[in-house]
Coordinates of all heavy atoms in Angstrom, one line a residue:
M1 N -107.5 209.6 -98.3 CA -107.2 209.4 -96.9 C -108.4 209.3 -96.0 O -109.3 210.2 -96.2 CB -106.2 210.5 -96.4 CG -105.8 210.3 -94.9 SD -104.5 211.5 -94.4 CE -103.1 211.0 -95.4
Q2 N -108.5 208.4 -95.1 CA -109.6 208.3 -94.2 C -109.5 209.1 -93.0 O -108.4 209.2 -92.4 CB -109.9 206.8 -93.8 CG -110.5 206.0 -94.9 CD -110.9 204.6 -94.4 OE1 -110.1 204.0 -93.7 NE2 -112.1 204.2 -94.7
C3 N -110.5 209.8 -92.6 CA -110.5 210.6 -91.3 C -110.3 209.6 -90.2 O -111.0 208.6 -90.0 CB -111.8 211.3 -91.2 SG -111.9 212.2 -89.6
P4 N -109.3 209.9 -89.3 CA -109.0 209.0 -88.2 C -110.1 209.1 -87.1 O -110.1 208.3 -86.1 CB -107.6 209.5 -87.6 CG -107.5 210.9 -88.1 CD -108.3 211.0 -89.4
Y5 N -111.0 210.1 -87.2 CA -112.0 210.3 -86.2 C -113.3 209.6 -86.5 O -113.9 208.9 -85.7 CB -112.3 211.8 -86.0 CG -111.1 212.5 -85.4 CD1 -110.2 213.1 -86.3 CD2 -110.8 212.6 -84.0 CE1 -109.0 213.8 -85.8 CE2 -109.7 213.2 -83.5 CZ -108.8 213.8 -84.4 OH -107.7 214.4 -83.9
C6 N -113.7 209.8 -87.8 CA -115.0 209.2 -88.2 C -114.9 208.1 -89.3 O -115.9 207.4 -89.5 CB -116.0 210.3 -88.7 SG -115.5 211.0 -90.3
G7 N -113.8 208.0 -90.0 CA -113.6 207.0 -91.0 C -114.0 207.4 -92.4 O -113.8 206.7 -93.3
N8 N -114.7 208.6 -92.5 CA -115.1 209.0 -93.9 C -113.9 209.4 -94.7 O -112.8 209.7 -94.1 CB -116.0 210.2 -93.7 CG -117.4 209.8 -93.3 OD1 -117.8 208.7 -93.2 ND2 -118.2 210.8 -92.9
E9 N -114.0 209.4 -96.0 CA -113.0 209.9 -96.9 C -112.8 211.4 -96.8 O -113.7 212.1 -96.7 CB -113.3 209.5 -98.3 CG -112.2 209.6 -99.3 CD -111.0 208.7 -99.0 OE1 -111.2 207.6 -98.4 OE2 -109.9 209.0 -99.4
M10 N -111.5 211.8 -96.7 CA -111.2 213.2 -96.5 C -110.9 213.8 -97.9 O -110.5 213.2 -98.8 CB -110.0 213.4 -95.6 CG -110.2 212.8 -94.2 SD -108.8 213.1 -93.1 CE -109.1 214.7 -92.5
E11 N -111.2 215.1 -98.0 CA -110.9 215.9 -99.3 C -109.5 216.4 -99.2 O -109.1 217.0 -98.3 CB -111.8 217.1 -99.4 CG -113.2 216.8 -99.7 CD -114.0 218.1 -99.8 OE1 -113.9 218.8 -100.9 OE2 -114.7 218.4 -98.9
K12 N -108.7 216.1 -100.3 CA -107.4 216.6 -100.4 C -107.4 218.1 -100.9 O -108.1 218.4 -101.8 CB -106.6 215.8 -101.4 CG -105.1 216.2 -101.5 CD -104.4 215.3 -102.5 CE -102.9 215.8 -102.6 NZ -102.2 215.0 -103.6
G13 N -106.6 218.9 -100.3 CA -106.4 220.3 -100.7 C -105.2 220.8 -100.1 O -104.2 220.1 -99.8
Y14 N -105.1 222.1 -99.9 CA -103.9 222.8 -99.4 C -104.3 223.8 -98.4 O -105.2 224.5 -98.5 CB -103.2 223.5 -100.6 CG -102.6 222.5 -101.6 CD1 -103.4 222.1 -102.7 CD2 -101.4 222.0 -101.4 CE1 -103.0 221.2 -103.6 CE2 -100.9 221.0 -102.3 CZ -101.7 220.6 -103.4 OH -101.3 219.7 -104.3
L15 N -103.5 223.8 -97.3 CA -103.6 224.9 -96.3 C -102.5 225.9 -96.7 O -101.3 225.6 -96.8 CB -103.3 224.3 -94.9 CG -103.3 225.2 -93.7 CD1 -104.7 225.8 -93.5 CD2 -102.9 224.5 -92.5
Q16 N -102.9 227.1 -96.9 CA -102.0 228.1 -97.5 C -102.0 229.4 -96.6 O -103.0 229.7 -96.0 CB -102.4 228.5 -98.9 CG -102.3 227.3 -99.9 CD -102.8 227.7 -101.2 OE1 -104.0 227.7 -101.5 NE2 -101.9 228.2 -102.1
S17 N -100.9 230.1 -96.7 CA -100.8 231.4 -96.0 C -99.8 232.2 -96.9 O -98.9 231.7 -97.4 CB -100.2 231.2 -94.6 OG -99.8 232.4 -94.1
R18 N -100.0 233.5 -96.9 CA -99.1 234.4 -97.7 C -97.7 234.4 -97.1 O -96.7 234.4 -97.8 CB -99.7 235.8 -97.7 CG -98.9 236.7 -98.6 CD -99.4 238.1 -98.5 NE -99.0 238.6 -97.1 CZ -99.3 239.8 -96.7 NH1 -100.0 240.7 -97.4 NH2 -98.9 240.2 -95.5
D19 N -97.6 234.4 -95.8 CA -96.3 234.6 -95.1 C -95.7 233.3 -94.5 O -94.7 233.4 -93.8 CB -96.4 235.7 -94.1 CG -96.9 237.0 -94.7 OD1 -96.5 237.3 -95.8 OD2 -97.7 237.7 -94.1
G20 N -96.3 232.2 -94.6 CA -95.8 231.0 -93.9 C -96.7 230.4 -92.9 O -97.6 231.1 -92.3
I21 N -96.5 229.2 -92.7 CA -97.4 228.4 -91.7 C -96.4 227.8 -90.7 O -95.4 227.3 -91.0 CB -98.1 227.3 -92.4 CG1 -99.0 227.9 -93.5 CG2 -98.9 226.5 -91.5 CD1 -99.6 226.8 -94.5
G22 N -96.8 227.9 -89.4 CA -95.9 227.3 -88.4 C -96.7 226.7 -87.3 O -97.9 226.9 -87.1
W23 N -96.0 226.0 -86.4 CA -96.6 225.4 -85.3 C -95.7 225.7 -84.1 O -94.5 225.7 -84.2 CB -96.7 223.8 -85.4 CG -97.3 223.2 -84.3 CD1 -98.7 222.9 -84.2 CD2 -96.7 222.7 -83.1 NE1 -98.9 222.2 -83.0 CE2 -97.7 222.1 -82.3 CE3 -95.4 222.7 -82.6 CZ2 -97.5 221.5 -81.1 CZ3 -95.2 222.1 -81.4 CH2 -96.2 221.5 -80.6
G24 N -96.3 226.0 -83.0 CA -95.5 226.3 -81.7 C -96.3 225.8 -80.5 O -97.5 225.6 -80.6
K25 N -95.6 225.7 -79.4 CA -96.3 225.2 -78.2 C -97.2 226.3 -77.5 O -98.1 226.0 -76.8 CB -95.3 224.7 -77.2 CG -94.7 223.4 -77.6 CD -93.7 222.9 -76.5 CE -93.1 221.6 -77.0 NZ -92.1 221.1 -76.0
K26 N -96.8 227.6 -77.8 CA -97.5 228.7 -77.2 C -98.1 229.5 -78.3 O -97.5 229.7 -79.4 CB -96.6 229.5 -76.4 CG -96.0 228.8 -75.2 CD -95.1 229.7 -74.4 CE -94.5 229.0 -73.2 NZ -93.5 229.9 -72.5
E27 N -99.2 230.2 -78.0 CA -99.8 231.1 -79.0 C -99.0 232.4 -78.8 O -98.9 232.9 -77.6 CB -101.3 231.3 -78.7 CG -101.9 232.2 -79.7 CD -103.4 232.3 -79.4 OE1 -103.9 232.0 -78.3 OE2 -104.1 232.8 -80.3
V28 N -98.5 233.0 -79.8 CA -97.7 234.2 -79.7 C -98.2 235.2 -80.7 O -98.9 234.9 -81.7 CB -96.2 233.9 -80.0 CG1 -95.6 233.0 -78.9 CG2 -96.0 233.4 -81.4
F29 N -97.8 236.5 -80.5 CA -98.2 237.5 -81.5 C -97.3 237.3 -82.7 O -96.1 237.1 -82.6 CB -97.8 238.9 -80.9 CG -98.1 240.0 -81.8 CD1 -99.4 240.5 -82.0 CD2 -97.1 240.7 -82.4 CE1 -99.7 241.5 -82.9 CE2 -97.4 241.7 -83.3 CZ -98.7 242.1 -83.5
V30 N -98.0 237.3 -83.8 CA -97.3 237.0 -85.1 C -97.1 238.3 -85.9 O -98.1 239.0 -86.2 CB -98.1 236.0 -86.0 CG1 -97.4 235.8 -87.3 CG2 -98.3 234.7 -85.2
K31 N -95.9 238.7 -86.0 CA -95.6 240.0 -86.8 C -95.8 239.8 -88.3 O -95.7 238.7 -88.8 CB -94.1 240.4 -86.6 CG -93.8 240.7 -85.2 CD -92.3 240.9 -85.1 CE -91.8 241.0 -83.6 NZ -90.4 241.0 -83.4
A32 N -96.2 240.8 -88.9 CA -96.4 240.8 -90.4 C -95.0 240.4 -91.1 O -94.0 240.8 -90.6 CB -96.9 242.1 -90.9
L33 N -95.1 239.6 -92.1 CA -94.0 239.2 -92.9 C -92.9 238.6 -92.1 O -91.7 238.7 -92.3 CB -93.4 240.5 -93.6 CG -94.3 241.2 -94.5 CD1 -93.7 242.4 -95.1 CD2 -94.8 240.3 -95.7
S34 N -93.2 237.8 -91.1 CA -92.3 237.1 -90.3 C -92.6 235.6 -90.2 O -93.8 235.2 -90.0 CB -92.2 237.7 -88.9 OG -91.4 236.8 -88.0
E35 N -91.7 234.7 -90.3 CA -91.9 233.3 -90.1 C -91.2 232.8 -88.8 O -91.1 231.7 -88.6 CB -91.4 232.5 -91.3 CG -92.1 232.9 -92.6 CD -91.6 232.1 -93.8 OE1 -90.7 231.2 -93.6 OE2 -92.0 232.4 -94.9
L36 N -90.8 233.8 -88.0 CA -90.0 233.5 -86.8 C -90.8 233.0 -85.6 O -90.3 232.6 -84.6 CB -89.1 234.7 -86.4 CG -88.2 235.2 -87.5 CD1 -87.4 236.4 -87.0 CD2 -87.1 234.1 -87.8
F37 N -92.1 233.0 -85.8 CA -92.9 232.5 -84.7 C -92.9 231.0 -84.5 O -93.3 230.6 -83.4 CB -94.4 233.0 -84.9 CG -95.1 232.3 -86.0 CD1 -95.9 231.2 -85.9 CD2 -94.9 232.8 -87.3 CE1 -96.5 230.6 -86.9 CE2 -95.5 232.2 -88.4 CZ -96.3 231.1 -88.2
A38 N -92.5 230.3 -85.5 CA -92.6 228.9 -85.4 C -91.3 228.2 -85.0 O -90.3 228.7 -85.4 CB -93.1 228.3 -86.8
E39 N -91.4 227.1 -84.3 CA -90.2 226.3 -84.1 C -89.6 225.8 -85.4 O -88.4 225.7 -85.6 CB -90.6 225.1 -83.2 CG -91.0 225.6 -81.8 CD -91.5 224.4 -80.9 OE1 -91.5 223.3 -81.4 OE2 -91.9 224.7 -79.8
K40 N -90.5 225.4 -86.3 CA -90.1 225.0 -87.6 C -91.1 225.4 -88.6 O -92.2 224.8 -88.7 CB -90.0 223.4 -87.6 CG -89.5 222.9 -88.9 CD -89.4 221.4 -88.9 CE -88.7 220.9 -90.1 NZ -89.4 220.1 -91.0
P41 N -90.8 226.5 -89.4 CA -91.8 226.9 -90.4 C -92.1 225.8 -91.4 O -91.2 225.0 -91.8 CB -91.0 228.1 -91.1 CG -90.0 228.5 -90.1 CD -89.6 227.3 -89.3
L42 N -93.3 225.7 -91.8 CA -93.7 224.6 -92.7 C -93.8 225.1 -94.1 O -94.0 224.3 -95.0 CB -95.1 224.2 -92.3 CG -95.3 223.7 -90.8 CD1 -96.7 223.3 -90.6 CD2 -94.3 222.6 -90.5
G43 N -93.5 226.4 -94.4 CA -93.6 226.9 -95.8 C -94.9 227.6 -95.9 O -95.6 227.9 -94.9
K44 N -95.2 227.9 -97.1 CA -96.4 228.8 -97.4 C -97.6 228.0 -97.8 O -98.7 228.5 -98.0 CB -96.1 229.8 -98.4 CG -95.0 230.8 -97.8 CD -94.6 231.9 -98.8 CE -93.6 232.8 -98.1 NZ -93.1 233.9 -98.9
A45 N -97.4 226.7 -98.1 CA -98.5 225.8 -98.4 C -98.1 224.4 -98.1 O -97.0 224.0 -98.3 CB -98.9 225.9 -99.9
V46 N -99.0 223.7 -97.5 CA -98.8 222.3 -97.2 C -100.1 221.5 -97.6 O -101.2 222.0 -97.6 CB -98.6 222.0 -95.7 CG1 -97.2 222.5 -95.2 CG2 -99.7 222.5 -94.8
E47 N -99.9 220.2 -98.0 CA -101.0 219.4 -98.4 C -101.9 219.2 -97.1 O -101.3 219.0 -96.0 CB -100.6 218.0 -98.9 CG -100.2 218.0 -100.3 CD -99.9 216.6 -100.9 OE1 -100.2 215.7 -100.1 OE2 -99.5 216.5 -102.0
A48 N -103.2 219.3 -97.3 CA -104.0 219.1 -96.1 C -105.3 218.3 -96.6 O -105.8 218.5 -97.7 CB -104.5 220.5 -95.6
Y49 N -105.7 217.5 -95.7 CA -106.9 216.7 -95.9 C -108.0 217.2 -95.0 O -107.7 217.3 -93.8 CB -106.6 215.2 -95.7 CG -105.7 214.6 -96.7 CD1 -104.3 214.7 -96.6 CD2 -106.2 214.0 -97.9 CE1 -103.5 214.2 -97.6 CE2 -105.4 213.5 -98.9 CZ -104.0 213.6 -98.7 OH -103.1 213.2 -99.7
N50 N -109.2 217.4 -95.5 CA -110.2 218.0 -94.8 C -111.4 217.1 -94.6 O -111.9 216.4 -95.5 CB -110.7 219.2 -95.6 CG -111.8 220.1 -94.9 OD1 -112.1 219.8 -93.7 ND2 -112.4 221.0 -95.6
C51 N -111.8 216.9 -93.3 CA -113.1 216.2 -93.0 C -114.1 217.3 -92.6 O -114.0 217.9 -91.6 CB -112.9 215.2 -91.9 SG -114.5 214.3 -91.5
R52 N -115.0 217.5 -93.5 CA -116.0 218.6 -93.3 C -117.0 218.1 -92.2 O -117.5 219.0 -91.5 CB -116.8 218.9 -94.5 CG -115.9 219.5 -95.6 CD -116.7 219.9 -96.9 NE -115.8 220.3 -97.9 CZ -115.5 221.5 -98.2 NH1 -116.0 222.5 -97.4 NH2 -114.7 221.8 -99.2
Q53 N -117.2 216.8 -92.0 CA -118.1 216.4 -90.9 C -117.5 216.6 -89.6 O -118.2 217.1 -88.7 CB -118.3 214.9 -91.1 CG -119.3 214.3 -90.0 CD -119.7 212.9 -90.4 OE1 -120.1 212.6 -91.5 NE2 -119.6 212.0 -89.4
C54 N -116.2 216.3 -89.4 CA -115.6 216.5 -88.0 C -115.0 217.9 -87.9 O -114.5 218.3 -86.8 CB -114.5 215.4 -87.9 SG -115.0 213.7 -87.8
K55 N -114.9 218.6 -89.0 CA -114.2 219.9 -89.1 C -112.8 219.8 -88.6 O -112.3 220.5 -87.7 CB -115.0 220.9 -88.2 CG -116.4 221.1 -88.8 CD -117.2 222.2 -88.0 CE -118.5 222.4 -88.8 NZ -119.6 222.9 -88.0
K56 N -112.1 218.8 -89.2 CA -110.7 218.6 -88.9 C -109.9 218.7 -90.2 O -110.3 218.2 -91.2 CB -110.5 217.2 -88.3 CG -111.3 216.9 -87.1 CD -110.7 217.4 -85.8 CE -111.4 216.8 -84.6 NZ -111.1 217.6 -83.4
L57 N -108.7 219.2 -90.0 CA -107.7 219.2 -91.1 C -106.5 218.3 -90.7 O -106.1 218.4 -89.5 CB -107.1 220.6 -91.4 CG -108.1 221.6 -92.0 CD1 -107.4 223.0 -92.2 CD2 -108.6 221.2 -93.4
L58 N -106.0 217.5 -91.6 CA -104.9 216.7 -91.3 C -103.8 217.1 -92.3 O -104.0 217.1 -93.5 CB -105.3 215.2 -91.5 CG -104.3 214.2 -91.1 CD1 -104.2 214.2 -89.5 CD2 -104.8 212.8 -91.5
I59 N -102.6 217.5 -91.8 CA -101.6 218.0 -92.7 C -100.4 217.1 -92.6 O -100.1 216.4 -91.6 CB -101.2 219.4 -92.4 CG1 -100.5 219.6 -91.1 CG2 -102.4 220.4 -92.5 CD1 -99.8 220.9 -90.9
E60 N -99.6 217.1 -93.7 CA -98.3 216.4 -93.7 C -97.2 217.4 -94.0 O -97.4 218.4 -94.8 CB -98.3 215.4 -94.8 CG -99.3 214.2 -94.6 CD -99.2 213.2 -95.7 OE1 -98.2 213.2 -96.5 OE2 -100.1 212.4 -95.8
Y61 N -96.1 217.3 -93.3 CA -95.0 218.2 -93.6 C -93.7 217.4 -93.4 O -93.7 216.3 -92.9 CB -95.0 219.4 -92.6 CG -94.8 219.0 -91.1 CD1 -93.5 219.0 -90.6 CD2 -95.8 218.6 -90.3 CE1 -93.3 218.7 -89.3 CE2 -95.6 218.3 -89.0 CZ -94.4 218.3 -88.5 OH -94.2 218.0 -87.2
D62 N -92.6 218.0 -94.0 CA -91.3 217.3 -93.9 C -90.3 218.1 -93.2 O -90.6 219.2 -92.7 CB -90.8 216.9 -95.3 CG -90.8 218.0 -96.2 OD1 -91.0 219.2 -95.8 OD2 -90.5 217.8 -97.4
Ligands
LIG1 ZN1 -114.1 212.9 -89.8

């Protein structure tokens, strides 16, 4: 996958967390062993493409 910022090829890998990964509009305190902070939990690992030059991660989720 090409980086949308610089056009270089990105490295495929995984963004992982022991307790789950989530996205929300606000930064909130995250309790241990809780996935309730996210509007939609993404699971404990998602594919991620890394551009080391731009220091950007691009993830895909379903
Ligand atoms: Zn880049």
Side-chain angles (χ1 to χ4, degrees):
M1 181 175 292
Q2 283 188 314
C3 174
Y5 296 93
C6 70
N8 286 348
E9 193 63 28
M10 302 180 87
E11 286 180 78
K12 183 181 176 182
Y14 295 89
L15 179 63
Q16 295 177 276
S17 167
R18 187 187 68 179
D19 300 323
I21 300 166
W23 183 92
K25 290 182 180 177
K26 295 179 182 177
E27 186 176 15
V28 297
F29 179 76
V30 179
K31 298 175 190 167
L33 302 175
S34 171
E35 296 180 4
L36 300 177
F37 67 96
E39 293 174 2
K40 182 177 189 244
L42 306 179
K44 296 182 180 177
V46 293
E47 280 189 3
Y49 292 85
N50 185 8
C51 179
R52 293 180 190 269
Q53 180 171 309
C54 297
K55 298 182 176 158
K56 305 276 188 196
L57 292 176
L58 192 67
I59 67 167
E60 293 184 14
Y61 66 93
D62 52 10

